């Protein structure tokens, strides 16, 4: 059978080129919009491999109906959209794109943090709406980051990079949560591994970098937001399902949190009726953590290599299990 790979959205050309060089037939989504589950299913029926986006739901039903697939590579490091444990039982290999988006995503978390700390949303709105009348001695007073304490929730690659930027660039003390000690990270940043409660009680900045799992879903709920310091900042560039939107709104409006910066929401896209969009101290981005030219090109290349390896029956260079 000719090997056919479905790429569910438009991604950098490099991937198509690499696959075609191997004689692999590429099925592209010419409309560059998310495929409906019906379309995804129908196109997958004609494919032996898939390059999927984090918005594609690859659950048990989909996999059971497409058990002929040999390999799926997610165009993302997170893979909570794929039931990879079930895929494994069917002999379908699942890959992702770690490492190459570490800098891009940590830099975006940093961008959100700086923008929140210095009230960028209200300040740009002030200029655009013609309200900039004078230099304001008491206007837009933000939080100075230097020397503050930051909690990294989930010190994987991206969390560690964020911790390094905060420690080396802003002289911050770093606390982190993780399933195991990160000795190199501790050595380079003097970071200290603590329980979640302590991290939330001590930190001026809480930045979320953990994967979405059954343990982290809704981790930032009423109870845990209530532990955060008065005047602290909450940043989430991981997954929207990790924070509870209503609870976040409550603590942003009751004087506990100074601000929140979100690159991820639940659902995505965010509802235009979300109360968070009305707040001047909540900055929301449309999930652009890995959106740099370099990161997306490297992600495309990893996906292509994962697919080629999977179709050849080899172990994937970036396998999720
Ligand atoms: C990922 O790769 O999981 C990120 O969320 C993309 O920004």
């Amino acid at each position: 059978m000719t090997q056919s790979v479905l790429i569910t959205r438009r991604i950098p050309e490099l991937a198509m080129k690499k696959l075609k060089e191997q004689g692999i037939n590429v099925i592209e989504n010419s409309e560059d919009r998310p495929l409906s589950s019906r379309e995804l299913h129908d196109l997958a029926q004609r494919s032996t491999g898939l390059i999927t986006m984090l918005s594609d739901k690859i659950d048990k039903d989909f996999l059971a109906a497409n058990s002929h697939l040999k390999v799926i590579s997610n165009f993302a490091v997170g893979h909570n959209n794929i039931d990879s444990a079930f895929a494994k039982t069917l002999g379908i290999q699942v890959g992702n794109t770690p490492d190459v988006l570490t800098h891009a995503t940590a830099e975006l978390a940093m961008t959100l943090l700086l923008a929140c700390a210095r009230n960028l949303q209200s300040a740009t709105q002030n200029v655009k709406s013609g309200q900039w009348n004078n230099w304001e001695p008491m206007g837009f007073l933000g939080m100075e980051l230097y020397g503050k304490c930051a909690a990294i929730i989930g010190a994987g690659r991206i969390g560690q990079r964020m911790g390094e930027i905060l420690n080396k660039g802003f002289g911050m003390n770093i606390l982190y949560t993780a399933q195991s000690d990160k000795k190199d990270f501790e050595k380079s940043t003097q970071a200290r591994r603590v329980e979640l409660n302590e991290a939330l009680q001590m930190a001026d900045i809480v930045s979320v970098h953990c994967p979405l799992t059954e343990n982290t879903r809704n981790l930032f709920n009423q109870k845990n937001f209530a532990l955060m310091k008065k005047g602290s900042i909450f940043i989430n560039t991981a997954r929207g399902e990790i924070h509870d939107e209503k609870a976040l709104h409550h603590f942003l409006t009751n004087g506990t949190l100074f601000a929140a910066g979100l690159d991820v929401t639940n659902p995505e896209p965010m509802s235009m009726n979300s109360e968070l969009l009305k707040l001047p101290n909540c900055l929301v981005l449309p999930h652009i953590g890995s959106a740099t030219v370099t990161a997306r090109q490297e992600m495309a290349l990893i996906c292509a290599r994962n697919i080629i390896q999977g179709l050849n029956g080899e172990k994937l260079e970036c396998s999720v299990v």
Side-chain angles (χ1 to χ4, degrees):
M1 178 186 180
T2 320
Q3 307 285 18
S4 277
V5 173
L6 167 66
I7 307 181
T8 67
R9 290 292 297 273
R10 197 166 76 83
I11 64 172
E13 287 290 324
L14 293 164
M16 276 71 89
K17 193 166 168 278
K18 207 163 177 52
L19 292 167
K20 284 176 186 167
E21 276 167 13
Q22 299 291 314
I24 297 168
N25 178 44
V26 177
I27 305 172
E28 293 175 52
N29 175 1
S30 53
E31 292 181 49
D32 192 27
R33 59 167 172 78
L35 296 172
S36 68
S37 46
R38 181 82 252 159
E39 290 169 321
L40 184 60
H41 170 82
D42 289 350
L43 291 170
Q45 288 285 302
R46 295 163 36 202
S47 310
T48 41
L50 303 180
I51 295 182
T52 50
M53 307 301 121
L54 46 85
S55 47
D56 296 320
K57 196 169 155 198
I58 310 295
D59 58 10
K60 275 198 178 66
D61 288 347
F62 174 89
L63 289 164
N66 289 284
S67 57
H68 63 281
L69 289 168
K70 291 186 179 165
V71 56
I72 301 172
S73 185
N74 219 28
F75 186 70
V77 65
H79 48 86
N80 52 285
N81 56 310
I82 303 178
D83 190 336
S84 35
F86 188 65
K88 194 173 177 190
T89 67
L90 299 174
I92 304 172
Q93 292 204 75
V94 179
N96 67 342
T97 63
D99 292 321
V100 294
L101 45 67
T102 297
H103 289 291
T105 310
E107 286 168 18
L108 198 271
M110 198 59 227
T111 306
L112 274 172
L113 174 57
L114 287 167
C116 286
R118 299 305 296 274
N119 297 304
L120 249 60
Q121 184 159 243
S122 320
T124 53
Q125 187 53 31
N126 173 272
V127 177
K128 285 186 180 171
S129 62
Q131 288 175 316
W132 181 19
N133 297 320
N134 303 290
W135 181 76
E136 295 284 353
M138 293 302 288
F140 306 106
L141 300 184
M143 181 203 284
E144 194 153 305
L145 296 179
Y146 190 82
K148 292 283 193 307
C149 176
I152 302 293
I153 309 303
R157 300 172 190 85
I158 300 168
Q160 290 188 34
R161 179 65 196 135
M162 179 69 168
E164 268 173 23
I165 298 173
L166 296 174
N167 175 255
K168 307 251 181 270
F170 296 83
M172 286 197 198
N173 297 317
I174 309 296
L175 303 175
Y176 73 95
T177 67
Q179 282 174 352
S180 59
D181 288 345
K182 309 290 173 188
K183 290 292 178 204
D184 291 346
F185 178 50
E186 291 182 7
K187 208 166 154 198
S188 71
T189 62
Q190 288 77 54
R192 197 160 60 85
R193 182 171 165 225
V194 295
E195 294 298 325
L196 181 66
N197 283 9
E198 183 178 347
L200 301 183
Q201 283 161 354
M202 302 291 291
D204 303 290
I205 282 117
V206 171
S207 191
V208 180
H209 300 281
C210 53
L212 173 66
T213 64
E214 282 322 303
N215 291 333
T216 63
R217 187 180 297 281
N218 230 23
L219 183 64
F220 282 84
N221 50 21
Q222 192 78 15
K223 175 174 151 277
N224 284 332
F225 276 126
L227 294 175
M228 284 180 66
K229 257 171 101 167
K230 186 169 165 56
S232 57
I233 295 179
F234 176 77
I235 303 293
N236 188 358
T237 52
R239 286 293 180 268
E241 292 91 331
I242 296 172
H243 66 257
D244 177 75
E245 202 173 297
K246 276 208 174 75
L248 176 58
H249 184 272
H250 175 74
F251 287 99
L252 279 169
T253 49
N254 79 349
T256 303
L257 299 184
F258 180 71
L262 309 175
D263 185 40
V264 289
T265 60
N266 179 28
E268 289 183 7
M270 187 180 217
S271 159
M272 284 308 291
N273 296 324
S274 168
E275 292 296 318
L276 289 180
L277 292 178
K278 299 179 186 150
L279 300 182
N281 60 344
C282 185
L283 182 54
V284 184
L285 300 179
H287 205 149
I288 58 170
S290 65
T292 67
V293 174
T294 311
R296 291 282 163 88
Q297 283 182 342
E298 292 297 327
M299 289 161 71
L301 281 174
I302 294 184
C303 280
R305 291 199 296 266
N306 273 342
I307 292 290
I308 293 165
Q309 289 150 359
L311 294 182
N312 288 338
E314 296 161 12
K315 188 171 162 22
L316 310 190
E317 123 183 17
C318 298
S319 173
V320 306
V321 280

